[in-house]
Amino acid sequence: MAQQVHVTETDNGGSGPERGETRLRSLLDRLTRGWRGDRRIWRRGIVTAVVAVLLAGVLAGHARIPNAIGNLGSLTETFLPWFGLLIPVLLLIALVRKSATALIALLVPVIVWANLFGGLLTTKSHGGGDLTVATHNVNADNADPAGTARAVAASGADVLALEELQASKVPTYEKALKSVYRHHEVVGTVGLWSKYPMSDVQPVDIKLGWTRAMRATVTTPAGQVAFYVAHLPSVRVKLAAGFTARQRDRSADALGAAIEGEKLAKVVLLGDLNGTMNDRALNAVSSQLRSTQGAAGDGFGFSWPAAFPMARIDQILVRGVEPERSWTLPATGSDHLPVAARVKVDTSAS
């Protein structure tokens, strides 16, 4: 007797993998609908493609943008990471215009931006270190200096630098930090507080006519470290004059010369440099030292303005010590965020 085989059909869309493939195919069909068979996809979006290539040129060739007119090069370099925001805008335009040419051209700025800043999006921090340092531009108009001092001291910093200290408020900072730091020195408008002994404290001439930088030797358990604290002149963006930074640039060169003459092998620079590490005007400093944020930070570490940080102008730079971790601290009564880092002074076992 012949046997009949009955097959029961189901409406569950098939097995898992097959159903997934069907959904993916359906999604691709929707995305490419109107593109297939349209020969104009290569002719549309030429302007968008040109803009994408120009954006890549700015990102890759920022060092060639001249400073002769309004310090345009330095201005571009200060906010260089933010040029990446143009990429999704151009992507949206390319998709709306259904332009294959624009989409392909857009790959160029994507690759360049990722090459410049992609590394900052990864976690580079380590768990080691034997010294924690921090720096904060406290803002001369800070309405709560005591609260600001307590907040940065709570970071656990062994050595703390403060900038833009108003003379009338220095006693308030000293009183608030006294229980945490046994040693401190204030020179002009900058100061250094330390849990470890300090010596050889002296002002550093950064060609301003008044003191906004200092140097001190801190004897840590892992050895002596030369600490520099600096607050470089502010920069301004003016319609008539552009990015006015001549005084800042001159001070950066003077600070770089002072660090170049430093006799101790281990150096830490803390301060508000009023410039990012991309800014060529800081080359006299940045060419000698490593940024803890670049070496061991998570993300961009923007520190200014505190309400909506757009640039990292507050820096921790080192030489002869190993960055292990770098981060920003919560906002205080200042218009800057404090920044901190964990470093290894004893690198003999590295």
Side-chain angles (χ1 to χ4, degrees), residues 28-292:
L28 291 174
D29 286 341
R30 286 198 299 271
L31 290 175
T32 59
R33 188 176 299 144
W35 291 64
R36 287 173 295 184
D38 184 356
R39 297 179 180 178
R40 293 181 300 168
I41 63 174
W42 299 106
R43 296 196 295 268
R44 286 193 298 260
I46 298 299
V47 173
T48 305
V50 170
V51 173
V53 173
L54 289 175
L55 173 59
V58 170
L59 290 169
H62 62 87
R64 297 183 179 273
I65 299 175
N67 261 342
I69 302 175
N71 278 328
L72 183 60
S74 286
L75 177 60
T76 300
E77 289 165 337
T78 297
F79 299 104
L80 196 62
W82 293 94
F83 279 71
L85 292 179
L86 291 175
I87 292 175
V89 174
L90 293 174
L91 174 61
L92 179 60
I93 294 173
L95 292 174
V96 170
R97 292 280 293 152
K98 295 181 180 178
S99 169
T101 301
L103 286 175
I104 293 174
L106 197 55
L107 290 174
V108 183
V110 168
I111 292 171
V112 175
W113 191 95
N115 182 61
L116 288 173
F117 304 111
L120 294 176
L121 303 180
T122 61
T123 299
K124 301 183 294 295
S125 60
H126 312 288
D130 49 29
L131 188 73
T132 301
V133 299
T135 181
H136 190 25
N137 179 326
V138 296
N139 189 355
D141 298 324
N142 194 322
D144 183 21
T148 295
R150 288 192 295 269
V152 290
S155 68
D158 300 303
V159 182
L160 169 66
L162 300 181
E163 303 87 48
E164 207 167 296
L165 291 168
Q166 193 176 69
S168 61
K169 295 179 181 178
V170 168
T172 303
Y173 286 105
E174 291 175 329
K175 181 179 180 181
L177 296 171
K178 185 177 181 179
S179 62
V180 179
Y181 301 98
R182 295 181 56 190
H183 312 274
H184 88 277
E185 292 286 348
V186 174
V187 180
T189 61
V190 297
L192 191 66
W193 278 257
S194 173
K195 295 179 180 178
Y196 307 119
M198 296 168 52
S199 60
D200 300 327
V201 179
Q202 54 189 286
V204 175
D205 182 10
I206 55 173
K207 309 303 181 184
L208 283 176
W210 68 97
T211 304
R212 285 177 37 155
M214 63 177 288
R215 181 243 182 245
T217 297
V218 176
T219 303
T220 76
Q224 288 190 328
V225 181
F227 274 86
Y228 286 78
V229 184
H231 182 194
L232 298 187
S234 299
V235 297
R236 298 287 185 269
V237 180
K238 301 177 182 179
L239 291 177
F243 190 63
T244 57
R246 186 172 301 173
Q247 194 174 42
R248 188 278 311 268
D249 298 350
R250 187 166 53 248
S251 291
D253 290 342
L255 178 61
I259 293 172
E260 186 177 7
E262 174 57 51
K263 294 180 180 180
L264 288 182
K266 301 180 186 297
V267 179
V268 176
L269 169 61
L270 306 169
D272 173 7
L273 302 189
N274 269 306
T276 69
M277 289 298 95
N278 294 317
D279 191 339
R280 75 194 69 170
L282 299 184
N283 281 351
V285 175
S286 59
S287 62
Q288 302 184 65
L289 307 170
R290 296 174 67 194
S291 164
T292 59

